[in-house]
Amino acid sequence: ASLGGPPRHGDDVLLVKAADGRPALGAAEGAKLGDGTIAKAFSEGYTVALRSAHWRCGEAVAALLAPLQRALGASATANLYVTPPGARGLPAHYDDHCVLALQIMGRKAWRLSGPRPAEPLPPLGAARDRPIPRGNASREIVLGAGDVLYVPRGVVHECAALDDDDGGEP
């Protein structure tokens, strides 16, 4: 069952691929989702991003968020990302909100770099594309199915889906 109707391309569904360090849309905004657009883009290395999945994927996702929101005392949004093996959907960037990433299947290598102790957090609403700063310590971590990663606001991050035969190393 769907709480908010079918997903809308360009609003709820984005097709993105990091190319030359910049995200690129994978299809025209007016493309119909039922005409093979998503499958074609995925086969070409695009990540499929479904924003506000708790409104578009039925009660199961919304029910997963409810206890999390109660425990945190804050609202939460569920976004889903499906990335082809060996691909990267977004270039290094930070979010102006905290992220809790749950890896449902497959594996993704994450690279993270927080602000230096004297570096202020970027302001809310600031441009979010940002390379991993030189001189900042970065950390790489691999998430497998069932793993959870907390990424605080302002931490620059990027991730790539690993091929099934990569042996767990980023």
Side-chain angles (χ1 to χ4, degrees):
S2 178
L3 298 176
R8 299 174 310 258
H9 185 258
D11 290 330
D12 304 315
V13 177
L14 298 177
L15 305 172
V16 294
K17 177 167 55 172
D20 300 326
R22 304 198 55 83
L25 288 179
E29 290 295 320
K32 294 181 182 175
L33 295 178
D35 65 4
T37 302
I38 290 177
K40 182 177 185 304
F42 188 80
S43 72
E44 293 172 358
Y46 284 87
T47 291
V48 180
L50 177 60
R51 298 187 298 188
S52 299
H54 53 295
W55 289 111
R56 303 294 176 198
C57 293
E59 289 79 13
V61 177
L64 180 66
L65 277 184
L68 180 62
Q69 292 179 107
R70 282 191 301 275
L72 296 174
S75 64
T77 300
N79 296 329
L80 302 177
Y81 299 87
V82 181
T83 303
R88 189 167 55 104
L90 295 170
H93 68 284
Y94 71 90
D95 292 298
D96 61 5
H97 54 273
C98 297
V99 171
L100 191 61
L102 167 61
Q103 186 71 29
I104 296 173
M105 61 184 289
R107 295 178 304 122
K108 283 189 178 174
W110 287 71
R111 193 167 138 212
L112 308 137
S113 175
R116 287 179 232 160
E119 184 181 359
L121 288 175
L124 292 173
R128 297 191 294 176
D129 285 355
R130 185 175 181 195
I132 301 286
R134 293 182 194 263
N136 274 19
S138 64
R139 180 171 182 182
E140 294 186 5
I141 186 168
V142 174
L143 294 185
D147 290 339
V148 176
L149 176 66
Y150 172 70
V151 183
R153 172 181 165 252
V155 170
V156 179
H157 57 280
E158 62 184 341
C159 64
L162 298 175
D163 293 326
D164 289 337
D165 59 355
D166 277 348
E169 295 299 318

